[in-house]
Amino acid sequence: MSNRKASVDADPADTPIDPPADPPRVAGSTGRGKGRQGDVRLNRDVVLRAALDLVDAEGLEALSMRRLGNRLGKDPMALYRYAENRDALLDGLTELLLDQWIVAKADDASSWQGQLREAAHDFRALVLAHRHVVPLLVTRPLSTPMGLRPLGALRPLEQILAVLSSAGFEPADALHAYRAYYGFLIGHILNELEEFVVNPDEDELGLKLGLHRLPKKDFPHLRELAPMLLNYDGEAELEQGITILLQGLEAQLRSAPTTD
Amino acid sequence: MSNRKASVDADPADTPIDPPADPPRVAGSTGRGKGRQGDVRLNRDVVLRAALDLVDAEGLEALSMRRLGNRLGKDPMALYRYAENRDALLDGLTELLLDQWIVAKADDASSWQGQLREAAHDFRALVLAHRHVVPLLVTRPLSTPMGLRPLGALRPLEQILAVLSSAGFEPADALHAYRAYYGFLIGHILNELEEFVVNPDEDELGLKLGLHRLPKKDFPHLRELAPMLLNYDGEAELEQGITILLQGLEAQLRSAPTTD
DNA sequence: CCGTAGCATCTACAGCGTAGAGCGATGGTG
DNA sequence: CACCATCGCTCTACGCTGTAGATGCTACGG
């Protein structure tokens, strides 16, 4: 996988975190002389958090069982007690993230529109804080058939349905509304992340040059947009979109008590 | 990677396609005695098409340089003349797909709304015919900063901008409209594919059972939807969504000739 | 004291992407 | 004709991956 850098020497995730100087694997003596860092018992949460850290810091490709194990000061195989698979571990990651998305806060007494609007912004903030996990968020569900997804990943769905339901949507309509809502959210996030350039200073040039590279007779409109692509305000764009969407839902709610 | 089946024996992609009985690698004699299948010269298109075939047939994980090479009757390393990287090969795949998405057909003299509506349905059809590529479609752009994307992948964008522009949208508004449009499209496809169950007969049970598994006091709304999740009409849902979206765009076009 | 169970580790295997060198045919130039 | 560069391809090898299976260590109930 792109080999990253080959053996430069000290890669942040290749060494345990807590004790800075300590041979991670001594082979012979199986931690008899106090395995330090390795002594803390693992549990699912610790593993998942470490995985998320690793992904946040170095991207999805950096998350291998070996590297994760190393970071926890444990043998890679130890992880399999808490995640069965690498795939399951990835599912765990999405769960860990979605679990932090609280759609209907307890003390929130605002309108359903207000709740959905706030939830959308929360979602954006949450996800932007862990951009590297986004691919998981959109691809994992494609291979896990809904009913079999981790509970934590279904809770937001349920909560949104609850909000919509108490707003007066019939079940079927609530489902449609949910799809529109979540589809929009995901679509927006993908859009925003595509626009995102890692290093603005350097990449402003890179982007312009990139677009400059386009044959100007084949891509007139696209090239004209170059300046606009550089100051993209995701927050504003989301707000604008969600407003339109909520208006649409409102209209639908007022007009037809039942559909399909 | 999930090990698939271990060595069962004849895996469809592990053997060359054309000559059914022939040791793929004889080692010693470098194809001196008429390398049959291996004699056809490769080119980028052949490689990409084979890759797409492989992915369509066996999923993304099955696409390895070695398996692809094997399928083409060539050494894996031969592919690197046409794709530099495995990543580049994946980019090539998305390009190959998006290149088939013709947004504004030459003979189409309908309204811009009509064009966008038709394009949306085309996109859906195209993508559903290659479901396994969808993850690439949504994740590859996240790691390639717009201006550096393969030209074929930018053409649809340009075409949509053209349609919007000739509809009267100012460049900035056209960009916003494009984002809403494409974002919606992607969101819908992801929604639809999540709903999709591989084997309806068997999975109808699986799905119901899956939902049945949910604690009924924590997921009342979701469980109520179980029956509805089973007859999902993607086409209709898309049509309905696109209609709303187009209405929104129309309104925006009529109200404000310029924005931001 | 001996099981017994749970956690962690060791070892090993098949597969992966790909760098680097090499090989045979082709085609242009002396 | 001989020569040599170039192209398409193959070979070999390295370091990495996920994970099956056996093995050990530690703690606890009898």
Side-chain angles (χ1 to χ4, degrees):
Chain A
M1 273 93 174
S2 79
N3 208 2
R4 294 173 359 80
K5 212 63 152 308
S7 48
V8 191
D9 208 12
D11 212 321
D14 284 350
T15 51
I17 24 177
D18 245 339
D22 204 7
R25 288 296 85 246
V26 206
S29 70
T30 319
R32 240 323 256 102
K34 274 297 188 51
R36 310 210 204 308
Q37 147 85 359
D39 276 2
V40 290
R41 277 283 249 300
L42 289 187
N43 63 59
R44 187 148 207 272
D45 218 63
V46 170
V47 170
L48 288 183
R49 281 190 206 293
L52 184 55
D53 278 0
L54 184 49
V55 169
D56 282 343
E58 308 191 48
L60 266 183
E61 314 228 307
L63 178 58
S64 75
M65 303 306 260
R66 288 169 146 97
R67 302 240 290 155
L68 182 54
N70 212 321
R71 193 171 238 233
L72 289 164
K74 288 277 192 314
D75 187 283
M77 291 311 279
L79 305 175
Y80 285 81
R81 193 160 299 272
Y82 310 99
E84 176 157 307
N85 256 352
R86 179 166 189 267
D87 278 6
L89 192 130
L90 297 181
D91 281 334
L93 271 192
T94 77
E95 186 178 9
L96 185 60
L97 213 73
L98 285 180
D99 227 22
Q100 298 176 46
W101 186 29
I102 312 299
V103 172
K105 288 158 184 145
D107 56 346
D108 190 348
S110 54
S111 64
W112 61 274
Q113 294 98 325
Q115 287 182 307
L116 290 187
R117 167 173 271 116
E118 193 183 341
H121 285 283
D122 286 354
F123 182 76
R124 172 172 176 273
L126 180 61
V127 149
L128 288 189
H130 305 276
R131 359 185 140 260
H132 289 134
V133 192
V134 171
L136 293 184
L137 240 41
V138 309
T139 58
R140 296 307 308 165
L142 296 181
S143 35
T144 320
M146 177 72 71
L148 303 179
R149 302 230 255 278
L151 289 194
L154 290 176
R155 227 188 7 85
L157 201 175
E158 172 69 21
Q159 290 181 338
I160 293 170
L161 288 178
V163 170
L164 290 170
S165 166
S166 76
F169 283 93
E170 295 296 319
D173 295 322
L175 180 58
H176 281 86
Y178 161 77
R179 286 191 186 124
Y181 177 77
Y182 191 65
F184 163 75
L185 271 186
I186 290 291
H188 168 82
I189 288 295
L190 288 175
N191 265 333
E192 180 164 358
L193 284 184
E194 286 184 29
E195 229 81 26
F196 183 76
V197 284
V198 215
N199 183 339
D201 285 347
E202 173 199 342
D203 278 14
E204 177 160 17
L205 243 104
L207 191 90
K208 274 179 184 160
L209 279 171
L211 290 184
H212 182 69
R213 171 197 69 129
L214 301 180
K216 85 181 66 176
K217 61 182 264 291
D218 290 336
F219 296 88
H221 302 92
L222 189 46
R223 292 194 46 176
E224 195 176 357
L225 288 181
M228 246 161 295
L229 290 172
L230 287 179
N231 34 355
Y232 174 89
D233 184 348
E235 177 101 28
E237 191 106 358
L238 177 73
E239 179 65 22
Q240 180 179 334
I242 198 93
T243 303
I244 295 179
L245 189 112
L246 288 176
Q247 282 173 351
L249 291 185
E250 259 178 274
Q252 192 183 329
L253 181 58
R254 251 181 286 110
S255 72
T258 19
T259 313
D260 178 278
Chain B
M1 271 77 174
S2 81
N3 209 1
R4 293 173 356 82
K5 213 59 156 308
S7 49
V8 191
D9 209 13
D11 212 321
D14 284 350
T15 51
I17 24 175
D18 244 339
D22 203 9
R25 287 297 80 246
V26 208
S29 69
T30 319
R32 240 324 257 98
K34 273 299 189 51
R36 309 211 202 306
Q37 148 84 3
D39 276 1
V40 291
R41 280 283 250 301
L42 289 187
N43 63 59
R44 188 149 206 271
D45 218 64
V46 169
V47 169
L48 288 183
R49 281 190 206 294
L52 183 55
D53 278 2
L54 184 50
V55 170
D56 281 343
E58 308 190 50
L60 264 184
E61 314 228 306
L63 179 58
S64 75
M65 302 306 261
R66 288 168 145 98
R67 302 240 291 152
L68 183 54
N70 211 321
R71 193 172 238 233
L72 288 164
K74 289 277 192 314
D75 187 283
M77 291 311 279
L79 305 174
Y80 284 81
R81 192 158 300 269
Y82 310 99
E84 181 156 304
N85 254 352
R86 180 168 187 266
D87 278 5
L89 192 128
L90 297 181
D91 281 334
L93 271 192
T94 76
E95 188 177 7
L96 185 60
L97 213 73
L98 286 181
D99 227 24
Q100 297 175 47
W101 186 28
I102 311 299
V103 172
K105 287 158 186 147
D107 57 344
D108 191 347
S110 55
S111 65
W112 60 274
Q113 295 97 325
Q115 286 182 307
L116 290 185
R117 167 175 270 116
E118 194 182 344
H121 285 282
D122 286 354
F123 182 76
R124 173 172 177 270
L126 180 61
V127 149
L128 288 189
H130 304 276
R131 356 184 143 262
H132 288 134
V133 191
V134 171
L136 294 186
L137 241 40
V138 309
T139 58
R140 296 308 307 166
L142 296 181
S143 34
T144 321
M146 177 73 72
L148 303 178
R149 301 229 255 280
L151 289 194
L154 289 176
R155 226 188 7 86
L157 201 175
E158 172 69 21
Q159 290 180 339
I160 293 170
L161 287 178
V163 169
L164 290 170
S165 166
S166 76
F169 283 93
E170 295 296 319
D173 294 324
L175 180 58
H176 281 86
Y178 161 77
R179 286 191 185 124
Y181 176 78
Y182 191 64
F184 162 74
L185 230 49
I186 290 293
H188 167 82
I189 288 296
L190 288 175
N191 264 333
E192 179 164 0
L193 284 183
E194 285 183 29
E195 229 81 27
F196 184 75
V197 284
V198 216
N199 183 339
D201 286 348
E202 173 198 342
D203 278 15
E204 176 159 19
L205 243 105
L207 191 90
K208 275 179 182 157
L209 280 171
L211 290 183
H212 182 71
R213 171 198 69 130
L214 302 179
K216 86 182 66 178
K217 61 183 263 291
D218 290 336
F219 296 88
H221 302 93
L222 189 47
R223 291 194 47 175
E224 195 177 355
L225 288 180
M228 246 161 297
L229 289 172
L230 287 179
N231 33 356
Y232 173 88
D233 184 347
E235 176 100 29
E237 192 105 359
L238 177 72
E239 179 64 22
Q240 181 179 333
I242 198 92
T243 302
I244 294 179
L245 189 113
L246 288 176
Q247 282 173 351
L249 292 185
E250 257 177 278
Q252 192 182 330
L253 180 58
R254 250 180 286 110
S255 72
T258 19
T259 312
D260 178 87

